[in-house]
Amino acid sequence: MRYPQGGGLTAERQQFRQELRLKAAERFAQGEASSLIAKDLRVSVRSVQRWRQMWDEGGPRALRSQGPASLPRLSEKQFAQLEAELAKGPAAHGWEDQRWTLARIKTVIGRRFHLTYTIQGVRKLLVRNGWSCQVPARRAMDRDDDAVAGWVKEVWPCAEDSRRPVEPGWSSRTKPDSP
């Protein structure tokens, strides 16, 4: 994975990349070509061109790190409260079955903290805090194995019919009698 679990660059990595940009700025002042700078710093030419444009517009100060792209909207304390809510189970929040989905977690966040997240934002929030997708370890208590076996024998073969046409076809997409 390119980024750590925090979802962005570490402070050390941000500092390293800022130093690269500032080294490039020194070489911009000397009038060196972008391709040479890119080769020496082991970055893409397009990145150096982007940096040069920023440097032309704002000087070396424009190449300084802006910090993380975004901060998590739920604080550590709020995420701990969210975990406590999730531990109560979906039934405590009004759902009939015992499955947490991203949409349901999004709803709980909205109700509890009055924040709106996208489904992907909820997924990233959970992954960032060490959660992962889980599949139930046990089968449902109300599962009828005889009904499942009957469905596999009777219904599934009908749904799994061959897709090939019964009659011979043509190798061409057009019919022989078409104008």
Side-chain angles (χ1 to χ4, degrees):
M1 187 156 85
R2 195 164 101 188
Y3 298 122
Q5 284 300 91
L9 296 175
T10 61
E12 297 84 26
R13 191 71 180 153
Q14 284 178 350
Q15 181 67 29
F16 172 76
R17 291 178 72 163
Q18 176 179 303
E19 289 171 9
L20 275 180
R21 291 190 299 270
L22 294 177
K23 286 179 187 175
E26 293 171 4
R27 297 179 71 174
F28 295 154
Q30 297 171 2
E32 290 188 38
S34 296
S35 58
L36 182 63
I37 296 171
K39 183 177 179 185
D40 290 346
L41 296 179
R42 298 178 60 172
V43 296
S44 70
V45 176
R46 180 65 189 123
S47 290
V48 174
Q49 291 170 343
R50 233 181 3 257
W51 298 343
R52 185 183 298 270
Q53 183 179 4
M54 290 168 55
W55 180 75
D56 286 340
E57 293 171 2
R61 183 176 206 139
L63 297 176
R64 296 203 177 272
S65 177
Q66 302 295 314
S70 66
L71 296 172
R73 294 182 8 209
L74 280 182
S75 67
E76 297 283 332
K77 182 180 176 184
Q78 289 174 319
F79 190 79
Q81 292 172 355
L82 175 63
E83 284 182 316
E85 293 294 323
L86 296 178
K88 293 177 185 175
H93 294 279
W95 289 286
E96 294 178 7
D97 61 355
Q98 288 295 312
R99 287 181 305 132
W100 278 118
T101 63
L102 293 175
R104 289 178 178 184
I105 296 172
K106 174 186 170 188
T107 303
V108 170
I109 291 172
R111 289 177 185 166
R112 181 75 171 90
F113 305 105
H114 305 288
L115 291 173
T116 359
Y117 270 85
T118 63
I119 298 291
Q120 287 303 315
V122 172
R123 185 190 65 78
K124 288 177 183 178
L125 172 72
L126 294 174
V127 168
R128 186 180 305 129
N129 286 285
W131 286 59
S132 63
C133 177
Q134 300 291 314
V135 177
R138 293 179 233 105
R139 294 183 184 232
M141 291 176 56
D142 57 347
R143 177 183 164 125
D144 184 2
D145 287 328
D146 295 331
V148 171
W151 184 89
V152 169
K153 287 181 185 174
E154 296 170 19
V155 178
W156 180 243
C158 297
E160 199 180 40
D161 278 343
S162 171
R163 292 186 180 176
R164 291 189 170 185
V166 179
E167 59 196 43
W170 298 95
S171 60
S172 173
R173 287 181 169 231
T174 58
K175 294 181 181 177
D177 294 333
S178 64

